[in-house]
Amino acid sequence: RPPSARAIPDTTIINMDQVDVAFVLAPWTPSEKRISRLINFVDQGGGAVLLSFIGGLSKGVWRDLEYEPLITGKVADNTPYEDVYLSSQPIASLDTCSLKRTQDTIGLPQILSGVDTINGRRRITSKLVEGAQVLAKWSDGQPLVALHPSKNVFSISQRVSRIFELDDDLGHDDTLQLVLNVMVQAGKESKRNRSVRGLGSCPIGVAPSAGQTGEASETGVNSTGGVNVSL
């Protein structure tokens, strides 16, 4: 007789102690167990990057306790779609130096390094958690990237399909580079948080294992390493 479902270990459960950043494709309706693990991971200083076009983590404790900095919603079905692109207007909440698109720039976050074009087609509404910081905007003024006011959680308001450029009519853009930049930024903060707490996925000064991605983190915190990402 085959073993029961309870007797079979869940091999999809990842040891989050070995992870710096959780990359979440939303809308997502995970089990309570998984969302509790994500909340605990963030509470321990881990980073979360959510790529969401509409909805985000649309229900449960994560939403109720406002872990997500940006919530997007639907509009009436007869509302026309609008072609939008990365706004070139300065973001008032950021230091002016941080808007230069180079990794050598002084100032954080460096999320626009190598990002020149972002294309989209949208008809959604956006609502920020109180105190959330808008790091990049769409040309219609809605947030493209938002950072939680007190947690290492970023929201990117963009279609998942743009990572792979599946929308042929929208052409090539730098969505993938933007996502990677945000992951690196979240990973740096995660490593800094965990070094303070005495936790972490990789000790200070120890190079990461194969399969990690991203640039080196801030000086003194895993300065030779990369960022461990869990999808």
Side-chain angles (χ1 to χ4, degrees):
R1 187 176 65 177
S4 65
R6 290 185 178 181
I8 300 175
D10 188 350
T11 57
T12 64
I13 297 296
I14 297 171
N15 180 4
M16 298 302 284
D17 291 338
Q18 304 300 317
V19 172
D20 299 311
V21 180
F23 181 47
V24 181
L25 302 177
W28 182 44
T29 52
S31 65
E32 291 184 7
K33 181 178 180 180
R34 288 180 180 273
I35 200 65
S36 294
R37 295 182 74 244
L38 181 58
I39 287 174
N40 182 67
F41 173 69
V42 170
D43 287 346
Q44 294 297 317
V49 176
L50 297 100
L51 185 69
S52 59
F53 184 63
I54 293 178
L57 300 190
S58 56
K59 64 180 181 179
V61 179
W62 174 271
R63 178 73 174 270
D64 296 341
L65 296 182
E66 297 187 330
Y67 273 72
E68 194 159 344
L70 174 65
I71 303 298
T72 55
K74 293 182 178 181
V75 297
D77 290 342
N78 61 352
T79 303
Y81 284 94
E82 180 181 358
D83 286 342
V84 289
Y85 49 89
L86 175 66
S87 174
S88 60
Q89 296 298 316
I91 306 300
S93 59
L94 286 181
D95 183 89
T96 304
C97 294
S98 68
L99 294 174
K100 288 182 62 180
R101 294 168 184 171
T102 169
Q103 289 287 11
D104 298 326
T105 300
I106 299 174
L108 294 175
Q110 307 272 338
I111 62 166
L112 294 181
S113 172
V115 177
D116 294 311
T117 59
I118 300 289
N119 303 321
R121 182 166 294 130
R122 300 150 51 85
R123 55 173 188 181
I124 64 176
T125 61
S126 299
K127 179 182 177 182
L128 291 166
V129 167
E130 185 175 356
Q133 186 178 16
V134 177
L135 306 182
K137 284 185 178 182
W138 286 104
S139 55
D140 63 358
Q142 294 197 55
L144 169 59
V145 182
L147 172 63
H148 195 279
S150 61
K151 304 181 188 302
N152 188 17
V153 180
F154 294 77
S155 284
I156 304 174
S157 180
Q158 174 65 308
R159 294 177 183 269
V160 175
S161 60
R162 291 307 300 153
I163 292 180
F164 310 103
E165 298 186 356
L166 299 180
D167 313 286
D168 293 338
D169 56 331
L170 292 179
H172 168 75
D173 71 4
D174 300 311
T175 293
L176 177 58
Q177 184 64 57
L178 176 66
V179 170
L180 293 175
N181 289 351
V182 175
M183 285 183 181
V184 169
Q185 186 61 40
K188 289 179 179 180
E189 183 64 15
S190 176
K191 289 177 181 295
R192 188 189 69 80
N193 290 340
R194 291 177 167 195
S195 68
V196 172
R197 294 169 180 259
L199 304 172
S201 62
C202 194
I204 295 175
V206 177
S209 59
Q212 296 175 356
T213 185
E215 300 295 330
S217 61
E218 295 171 308
T219 302
V221 181
N222 193 24
S223 58
T224 61
V227 175
N228 294 295
V229 178
S230 172
L231 177 62

